[in-house]
Amino acid sequence: MLDELKEECGVFGMSLVQPNEEIINNMYLGIFALQHRGQESCGIAYQNESIEVIKHSGLVAGKFFENLPRDVKASQAIGHVRYSTCGPSNLINAQPLVFSCNKGEIAVAHNGNIPNSEMLKSDLIQTGSIFQTSSDSEILVHLISRIPGKNFETSLVSALNQINGAYSMLLLHNNQLIALRDPYGFRPLCYGEIKGGIVFASETNALDIIGAKNIKEVEPGEIIFCHNGKIEKKHNMGSSKKAQCIFELIYFSRPDSKVFGETVHDFRLKIGACLAKKCQLKPDIVIPVPDSGNSAAMGFAREAAIPFDFGLIRNHYTGRTFIKPGQQKRVEGVRLKLNPVKTVINGKSIAVIDDSLVRGTTSSKIVEILKDAGAKEVHLFLSSPEIKYSCFFGIDTPTRKELISSKLKPEEIAAQIGADSVTFLTIEDLKISVENPGDYCYACFNCDYPFAINED
Amino acid sequence: MLDELKEECGVFGMSLVQPNEEIINNMYLGIFALQHRGQESCGIAYQNESIEVIKHSGLVAGKFFENLPRDVKASQAIGHVRYSTCGPSNLINAQPLVFSCNKGEIAVAHNGNIPNSEMLKSDLIQTGSIFQTSSDSEILVHLISRIPGKNFETSLVSALNQINGAYSMLLLHNNQLIALRDPYGFRPLCYGEIKGGIVFASETNALDIIGAKNIKEVEPGEIIFCHNGKIEKKHNMGSSKKAQCIFELIYFSRPDSKVFGETVHDFRLKIGACLAKKCQLKPDIVIPVPDSGNSAAMGFAREAAIPFDFGLIRNHYTGRTFIKPGQQKRVEGVRLKLNPVKTVINGKSIAVIDDSLVRGTTSSKIVEILKDAGAKEVHLFLSSPEIKYSCFFGIDTPTRKELISSKLKPEEIAAQIGADSVTFLTIEDLKISVENPGDYCYACFNCDYPFAINED
Amino acid sequence: MLDELKEECGVFGMSLVQPNEEIINNMYLGIFALQHRGQESCGIAYQNESIEVIKHSGLVAGKFFENLPRDVKASQAIGHVRYSTCGPSNLINAQPLVFSCNKGEIAVAHNGNIPNSEMLKSDLIQTGSIFQTSSDSEILVHLISRIPGKNFETSLVSALNQINGAYSMLLLHNNQLIALRDPYGFRPLCYGEIKGGIVFASETNALDIIGAKNIKEVEPGEIIFCHNGKIEKKHNMGSSKKAQCIFELIYFSRPDSKVFGETVHDFRLKIGACLAKKCQLKPDIVIPVPDSGNSAAMGFAREAAIPFDFGLIRNHYTGRTFIKPGQQKRVEGVRLKLNPVKTVINGKSIAVIDDSLVRGTTSSKIVEILKDAGAKEVHLFLSSPEIKYSCFFGIDTPTRKELISSKLKPEEIAAQIGADSVTFLTIEDLKISVENPGDYCYACFNCDYPFAINED
Amino acid sequence: MLDELKEECGVFGMSLVQPNEEIINNMYLGIFALQHRGQESCGIAYQNESIEVIKHSGLVAGKFFENLPRDVKASQAIGHVRYSTCGPSNLINAQPLVFSCNKGEIAVAHNGNIPNSEMLKSDLIQTGSIFQTSSDSEILVHLISRIPGKNFETSLVSALNQINGAYSMLLLHNNQLIALRDPYGFRPLCYGEIKGGIVFASETNALDIIGAKNIKEVEPGEIIFCHNGKIEKKHNMGSSKKAQCIFELIYFSRPDSKVFGETVHDFRLKIGACLAKKCQLKPDIVIPVPDSGNSAAMGFAREAAIPFDFGLIRNHYTGRTFIKPGQQKRVEGVRLKLNPVKTVINGKSIAVIDDSLVRGTTSSKIVEILKDAGAKEVHLFLSSPEIKYSCFFGIDTPTRKELISSKLKPEEIAAQIGADSVTFLTIEDLKISVENPGDYCYACFNCDYPFAINED
């Protein structure tokens, strides 16, 4: 409903020393903790004699929760939450997907996107493969299946070598749980130990919820094979220049997660401070667009020594709007979500901190809300640089034409959305805010894709 | 809940001269009319620019009906009802299935079963194919995709030549509707004309509901290609000895349908008369196990000149039973479904006509109900021969061990279920009741499968 | 969807020697067996320390079944199925209704209608009572509550004396189950013994399903008080001339039920025979409009010595139709429900037996279906006299203006619906078909209401 | 799931100059904005010829939203959200309730509680009234109905004079919308102007969402009669000492609302500052228990000049836990909701600000979470005084025995929950933080109920 970037997935998996009847409950807790990474559908696959899968369109804690089998015991399981387009038939693309092939049964849950997938798919189709989903996982399993011989591990590695793109993945095969991350490391994947096993998750907050310790990252290019709670083997696909998605830190991941070695909240404090340094006026207060702007706004306020305050209150209940033909739903939805605290806003010069500007529709409405509440001036600060290019690695960006920053300069944007000023972070700011600035992808800001992309 | 044989599917399709906004409504009416052939899931696929599909677990007139898109226009569509095992994940196998391959997009709805499918599947898997469903349709599309070249028609024919089994199928491809039936013609498929197009269905009752005229059978081995309401081409795969499923006439099809050229109701009158000729005693009345026994019981009564009556009344609302561990659900369910009219039964010698004896559990309960209602004698007549062998062509039979007639003789069955006698129809009776007795499969009675089956 | 008369309710109740955990399951079976008397909502109330109630909009075996508490133990319970107008808010009127008053907690499930209820309600409102439902039960409880003193039994009797109308009722009060029937006995109510208790039901088929024996009628004017499986007291409100609803026998009750001392199926055989005597031509066959016309058609065929056959097949799955403004839904629905067996119909002169003619819309469509199927002549026989007047005692009749027989003579009706002839049963026929013809209400045919009705 | 106090309701109403088809949409927006005041059920009543009502168990934006009638036009409507005990039958108590009585049809939506309602109810029952719900609204309507004569206004006033308790109410009667607040003014109720009408709501944030202006409070004891968008009359029931619920400011109302003339957020800043003055140590950081502790924590941090930070992140998706017998659900739920930011917590002395301590179970878990995250010291500050007494005016408090502060002193609580210290606000702090300290009820802290309560 809001004009936000959308993450495309979260994954969670467990490998336990012995079949455990708590596994379904813990899988549920894990994917529930990752719900912010995808609200469209969810699923859990676990391996007994064969691989069983339960999937649902909708939130983790709804019908899916109600229908979970309570008495399943298993040692290995993987789960998934997905953001996607609507409709009941989207269950066809819901993950984990389960395949039978000459390497046996394989379940796949993945986060990421393969930009050259259409080419791969086209080649596969030319040479006789058939497809039922639009998931990149299906491509991978076709590639695995094309490798001669029975060896799953070498086939997996060989198949991955044919894929160039973003994938953090969990697989089930022959009672093994396999976790892997592409050589660029676009999407996060971490793991930790629990009593009686190993747990993998897109973000550490999902490891926290079940009490995992000794948390590490799956390294870019690393493939980890687990069986019954133990890591049996690690394989390294070889390294590329890392290209971790900086937007995981800016916006997608939860502030309580540690991602790519950075605590998300701390990173946002730093970029908030960077924004403050660009602020040449002295606003009366700093407010976040909650909740994603909270940490950056705090960092801004500390650096600028301006009071931080809660000037906009978010309604966290899921809201919906009556659909009428021609109605601008995206704009109207903002009112359902955000309401101003008038005494905080009235008569003040406001620095409002939001994470990003996509089409500009939400920001335009936020400025209006603040001005209606009596703001003397509204200065919008974005804790990301100008998004001018599409992402091909797992984020749902609108087409370049729709990206407001690909068309307008900040001062033009300010004029269009009614703000007194609009200030963006720079790529340099991002770079000084992480430990290893060379390990990130900034392509949506600077078009510097880690490898050539054929756009169409 | 009852101890019945289960049909595995019904198909329905339309090809219209021009895109019509009534098509979804008519598709709904068509598969609703076939609901008796499968209650587990249902689906409709239609072709616009690409093929869209809507599927649901459950009955046609429930959530599926509510969620149907009202304003779709299309010229070609196919639909399906399915009987299958339970659970939400069965949606993976719900039809129509839609595939992308080197011949383009293909949607498939089929009724039947390929006995050698595991071998075909195994071969395909060995040579690199991957599978996501347990549907034979997926095998077919793999085979199509393996054929070199772009020509869909020749590929389809070539793929079908590799398949030996039962299939009545509707496909969508490139705005064509293709209807076909295996060379044995195991499962029915017919078609008719409506204003503005052609309609295909498993049974004629689904053609009746939308007013189709000039109804014909798709011939065994025939492939019919339609586009925008016209038959463009017919292909004949060559003929085998026909092996039409006699159980379609005995039990599965609706009495108001014409199947394999026979009106189902009339056929059942004839086999009822055959049963009467075997009756050496003079029961006071003849009653059917409703509704499937109605026609045969009527035929029996006429031949024997014994009064027909309604001695058992069926509750047509879907009933369910509390599930308790160890409880014999199958038996208890009979009470939910059938209740005696005591004045009809009390003090009488009863000939009760049922369609078939599978495990014997339902019959045992029916005899008990009739005796409790005061029946002096209960003579059970089955309007099918003894089922001693499994079906591999689209009917869900229990394993041979569970089939009561594979273990016990009629008099032993009578003793076990508490009946005063049990009389079966003979294969000869069936043969004299159809026009072309050589065109049917009687394998579940006599093990004379149309071709060799590898059981496992 | 069809043009039928609608029953307004069914009731079921149990009183057990001791709290039994099977009670909810048995209550479910009982109201499931009465589902034909009301499909709109259902409910069960049981007494523990206080009275608990579970209600639902929809069929007994749907969500209601799923949400039933499995582990409740109770000795007394009552249940209800209801036919009514649509919408979720109808739950307000769903029964059993539970009230707190000066006589304690009272739960009520009733079948029937009080024609002077508006007057009673108006009086009660004038003198300070408030109403939340449109149920007659609420009126009764107000009257009970107005009686001074604490004695529930005398208050109940006194309250009932103020009510003139149709009511067969089950109540829970202070761990008693009370069953009663109005002095006219409009609606049926019977009871029987099971191991460990007593069971009450609108029809005997619901007693059969749980194996009740020694089945008797609650007499008109009788009030039976039960506690823990025993009848503690019977009270007689005094007798009126009985006015049992003859339509229970003609149409509403199931053929396997015994109602008012008559086996429904047998009664229908008799009235079918009466119709046959009126038949001056010699039709080729007799067919019922299934299932309600089955028994009468059989009786007709026997008397006329004309073959009975199944010429129309009913689809028992619940169907629904797309709603479009201005569309004649009622007519179109017939096609979803009934399909002809053409070989039975074609070229024949048909006597088709239906139970009643209300508006005539369904019959008109049936005649069309038969003629389309090739019927040479269609002679419609109705196993009820002409319905010319509204019912005020528990049946949902359309207004008199809508009743086709209040406007047209049989030959005019035949012309309008396209039949070759239309023949009605006479009241005399009904009278000779029951044991005690003076004990029935025929008011919808002859306007001879048992007492004066103020129509508005 | 958490150990929180629960509000019992929110109300919203509109009176429009002319029937408007946007009214249902606006009513939906209004009660959606009040969702935090009750998540159990919701409803909307509107007046056309008669009063129609739509109700649902569950959240406003779920099935209720889907089933709202889109094309209703009305001038007057009232809505309600309710917190209550579970189960489908709670729909019986869902509001608005609609009654028919001698003053006509009345719909009622109320927020509050009548402590002497059992006595009133008992009197009414003694003298013949019957009850179907446990709602105080039903008592009110009985009282209105008992007043002789037809005049609704005088009857309403007279009935309210018999009631001593907390009620902020909206009623529909004869196309009037009536808004009223008890003379103590326990619960909030405000109103504002929109184009074409007047809008009433429990909190101003619901007025904001539809753009209302000129917002005022309904005064304690005030009754406002509106018709078609205009205030027709105001009545004053006479004044008591005001006893506004201070917990509305501390916890229940949204920070963006203005309640009792106070902006909630500003009030919380002040009490946070008061807490800071009690803090004799120098914690390293101040963190809130989000979101209810946010404003107070900010106030604390500013006063103490200690950094504010986000040390706990809340998962705003509705979570659920597997229910196992004997499991301590309440405690486990905290983990689903709150996760620490370890880098913020680790090695620090933490002042954590929560709104209140009820049973202490949630706080105990929060302390554990913080210590597990490496907190050196955890000092818990509560932005309310010790809750030692039950509320009888609309808040769902546990029994006095369960209230931890009724049994333990702060230092004992600290020991029990594992905190290094526990500090409560004082009543004096509250008094200096509002403009009119004499206008509030502090009874849950000091037992000084505005009038005598008969506890049982």
Side-chain angles (χ1 to χ4, degrees), chain C residues 46-253:
Chain C
Y46 54 93
Q47 179 141 26
N48 278 325
E49 280 180 54
S50 67
I51 295 174
E52 306 290 332
V53 66
I54 316 138
K55 297 197 261 196
H56 199 77
S57 292
L59 295 178
V60 172
K63 283 272 170 204
F64 181 74
F65 174 82
E66 287 171 26
N67 293 329
L68 281 176
R70 272 8 185 210
D71 45 8
V72 159
K73 286 186 180 188
S75 289
Q76 264 77 227
I78 62 176
H80 194 266
V81 290
R82 183 168 192 260
Y83 158 73
S84 177
T85 50
C86 289
S89 68
N90 72 352
L91 259 189
I92 289 168
N93 284 311
Q95 297 194 31
L97 289 167
V98 183
F99 304 90
S100 293
C101 76
N102 54 21
K103 307 299 180 295
E105 251 190 329
I106 304 173
V108 189
H110 93 280
N111 173 209
N113 190 56
I114 314 297
N116 62 338
S117 67
E118 283 310 309
M119 235 161 56
L120 279 168
K121 193 167 175 175
S122 170
D123 284 353
L124 285 163
I125 282 178
Q126 294 306 325
T127 51
S129 292
I130 71 173
F131 282 81
Q132 293 184 57
T133 77
S134 58
S135 166
D136 291 341
S137 304
E138 195 173 3
I139 295 172
L140 174 69
V141 178
H142 273 298
L143 293 176
I144 289 172
S145 184
R146 293 287 184 98
I147 314 291
K150 289 281 180 200
N151 191 300
F152 175 68
E153 292 181 23
T154 56
S155 305
L156 174 63
V157 173
S158 173
L160 290 170
N161 282 334
Q162 299 170 56
I163 288 178
N164 208 9
Y167 49 84
S168 282
M169 246 183 222
L170 297 176
L171 299 93
L172 289 181
H173 174 265
N174 195 21
N175 257 307
Q176 278 192 316
L177 169 64
I178 300 102
L180 57 92
R181 227 172 128 205
D182 66 73
Y184 297 97
F186 287 102
R187 297 284 142 222
L189 189 60
C190 54
Y191 61 109
E193 297 165 17
I194 56 166
K195 219 184 116 200
I198 312 171
V199 196
F200 293 84
S202 291
E203 294 181 30
T204 58
N205 81 312
L207 300 180
D208 294 343
I209 206 171
I210 57 167
K213 305 291 177 198
N214 296 324
I215 293 173
K216 294 183 196 131
E217 301 238 326
V218 176
E219 290 302 315
E222 193 175 30
I223 311 177
I224 300 180
F225 297 85
C226 303
H227 175 65
N228 289 3
K230 295 233 170 66
I231 293 177
E232 296 201 319
K233 189 187 271 191
K234 289 188 180 184
H235 178 91
N236 200 304
M237 286 186 273
S239 60
S240 315
K241 186 180 166 301
K242 288 190 192 173
Q244 299 173 139
C245 174
I246 194 75
F247 246 108
E248 287 283 348
L249 299 178
I250 296 172
Y251 171 59
F252 291 124
S253 296

Side-chain angles (χ1 to χ4, degrees), chain A residues 22 25 28 39 61 70 208 256 263 265-266 298 302 308-309 317-318 320 322 324 339 342-343, chain D residues 22 25 28 39 61 70 208 256 263 265-266 298 302 308-309 317-318 320 322 324 339 342-343:
Chain A
E22 290 288 303
N25 189 26
Y28 157 73
Q39 295 92 49
R70 264 28 177 198
D208 294 344
D256 47 328
T263 292
H265 173 65
D266 295 350
M298 177 74 56
R302 286 181 189 169
F308 172 96
D309 212 335
Y317 295 98
T318 306
R320 297 157 78 182
F322 277 73
K324 298 211 173 158
N339 198 44
K342 286 172 201 160
T343 53
Chain D
E22 289 288 303
N25 189 24
Y28 156 73
Q39 295 95 48
R70 263 29 175 198
D208 294 344
D256 47 329
T263 291
H265 173 64
D266 295 350
M298 177 74 56
R302 287 182 188 168
F308 171 96
D309 213 334
Y317 294 98
T318 306
R320 297 157 78 182
F322 277 73
K324 298 211 173 160
N339 198 44
K342 286 173 202 158
T343 53

Side-chain angles (χ1 to χ4, degrees), chain A residues 21-22 24-25 28-29 32-36 39 59 61-63 65-66 68-70 204-205 208-209 212-213 215 254-257 263 265-266 269 291 294-295 298 302 307-310 313-324 327 335-344 372, chain D residues 21-22 24-25 28-29 32-36 39 59 61-63 65-66 68-70 204-205 208-209 212-213 215 254-257 263 265-266 269 291 294-295 298 302 307-310 313-324 327 335-344 372:
Chain A
E21 61 181 10
E22 290 288 303
I24 294 293
N25 189 26
Y28 157 73
L29 293 173
F32 173 73
L34 299 173
Q35 185 77 82
H36 61 289
Q39 295 92 49
L59 296 178
K63 283 271 170 205
F65 174 81
E66 287 170 27
L68 281 176
R70 264 28 177 198
T204 59
N205 81 314
D208 294 344
I209 205 171
K213 305 290 177 199
I215 293 172
R254 279 183 36 153
D256 47 328
S257 286
T263 292
H265 173 65
D266 295 350
L269 287 175
D291 285 349
N294 285 358
S295 304
M298 177 74 56
R302 286 181 189 169
F308 172 96
D309 212 335
F310 296 104
I313 302 297
R314 188 180 188 100
N315 185 338
H316 286 288
Y317 295 98
T318 306
R320 297 157 78 182
T321 49
F322 277 73
I323 298 162
K324 298 211 173 158
Q327 201 181 34
R335 269 267 161 222
L336 275 175
K337 282 283 163 206
L338 297 171
N339 198 44
V341 182
K342 286 172 201 160
T343 53
V344 170
D372 284 355
Chain D
E21 61 181 11
E22 289 288 303
I24 294 292
N25 189 24
Y28 156 73
L29 293 173
F32 173 72
L34 299 173
Q35 186 77 82
H36 61 289
Q39 295 95 48
L59 296 178
K63 283 271 169 205
F65 174 81
E66 287 171 26
L68 281 175
R70 263 29 175 198
T204 59
N205 81 312
D208 294 344
I209 206 170
K213 305 290 178 199
I215 293 172
R254 278 184 35 155
D256 47 329
S257 287
T263 291
H265 173 64
D266 295 350
L269 289 174
D291 285 351
N294 286 357
S295 303
M298 177 74 56
R302 287 182 188 168
F308 171 96
D309 213 334
F310 295 104
I313 301 299
R314 186 179 189 101
N315 186 337
H316 286 287
Y317 294 98
T318 306
R320 297 157 78 182
T321 49
F322 277 73
I323 298 163
K324 298 211 173 160
Q327 203 181 33
R335 269 266 161 223
L336 276 174
K337 281 285 162 206
L338 296 172
N339 198 44
V341 183
K342 286 173 202 158
T343 53
V344 170
D372 284 356

Side-chain angles (χ1 to χ4, degrees), chain D residues 207-392:
Chain D
L207 300 180
D208 294 344
I209 206 170
I210 57 167
K213 305 290 178 199
N214 297 325
I215 293 172
K216 295 184 197 130
E217 302 237 327
V218 177
E219 290 301 317
E222 193 174 31
I223 311 177
I224 300 179
F225 296 86
C226 303
H227 175 64
N228 289 3
K230 295 235 171 64
I231 292 177
E232 295 202 318
K233 189 189 271 192
K234 289 188 181 184
H235 179 91
N236 200 303
M237 287 185 274
S239 60
S240 315
K241 186 180 165 305
K242 286 189 194 174
Q244 298 172 138
C245 174
I246 194 75
F247 246 108
E248 288 283 347
L249 299 178
I250 295 172
Y251 170 61
F252 291 123
S253 295
R254 278 184 35 155
D256 47 329
S257 287
K258 201 167 174 180
V259 166
F260 309 141
E262 305 280 346
T263 291
V264 173
H265 173 64
D266 295 350
F267 168 83
R268 293 182 188 170
L269 289 174
K270 286 184 209 161
I271 57 175
C274 291
L275 273 179
K277 286 175 188 152
K278 296 184 195 319
C279 180
Q280 280 147 7
L281 6 88
K282 191 74 180 174
D284 298 318
I285 54 158
V286 179
I287 68 165
V289 176
D291 285 351
S292 58
N294 286 357
S295 303
M298 177 74 56
F300 187 111
R302 287 182 188 168
E303 174 68 28
I306 298 170
F308 171 96
D309 213 334
F310 295 104
L312 288 166
I313 301 299
R314 186 179 189 101
N315 186 337
H316 286 287
Y317 294 98
T318 306
R320 297 157 78 182
T321 49
F322 277 73
I323 298 163
K324 298 211 173 160
Q327 203 181 33
Q328 270 184 284
K329 280 202 317 169
R330 195 171 287 118
V331 177
E332 299 229 335
V334 181
R335 269 266 161 223
L336 276 174
K337 281 285 162 206
L338 296 172
N339 198 44
V341 183
K342 286 173 202 158
T343 53
V344 170
I345 303 300
N346 190 30
K348 305 266 182 57
S349 168
I350 314 282
V352 56
I353 315 298
D354 203 353
D355 47 79
S356 56
L357 212 50
V358 184
R359 292 179 188 82
T361 50
T362 296
S363 300
S364 164
K365 192 75 189 173
I366 288 171
V367 172
E368 182 189 312
I369 287 170
L370 294 172
K371 293 254 165 157
D372 284 356
K376 207 169 61 186
E377 292 173 26
V378 175
H379 300 280
L380 177 63
F381 291 84
L382 286 315
S383 64
S384 68
E386 294 158 86
I387 304 173
K388 296 181 175 173
Y389 306 95
S390 295
C391 175
F392 300 93

Side-chain angles (χ1 to χ4, degrees), chain C residues 329-348:
Chain C
K329 277 204 317 167
R330 197 169 286 120
V331 177
E332 298 229 335
V334 181
R335 269 265 161 224
L336 275 175
K337 282 285 164 206
L338 296 172
N339 198 43
V341 182
K342 286 172 204 161
T343 53
V344 171
I345 304 300
N346 191 29
K348 306 263 181 60

Side-chain angles (χ1 to χ4, degrees), chain C residues 31 34 77 89 156 159 185-186 189 216 259 325 333 357 360 378-379 409 419:
Chain C
I31 61 173
L34 298 173
S89 68
L156 174 63
F186 287 102
L189 189 60
K216 294 183 196 131
V259 166
L357 213 49
V378 176
H379 300 281
K409 292 181 195 154

Side-chain angles (χ1 to χ4, degrees), chain B residues 28 61 265-266 309 320 343, chain C residues 28 61 265-266 308-309 320 343:
Chain B
Y28 156 74
H265 173 65
D266 295 349
D309 212 335
R320 297 156 79 181
T343 52
Chain C
Y28 156 73
H265 173 65
D266 296 348
F308 172 96
D309 212 335
R320 297 157 78 181
T343 53

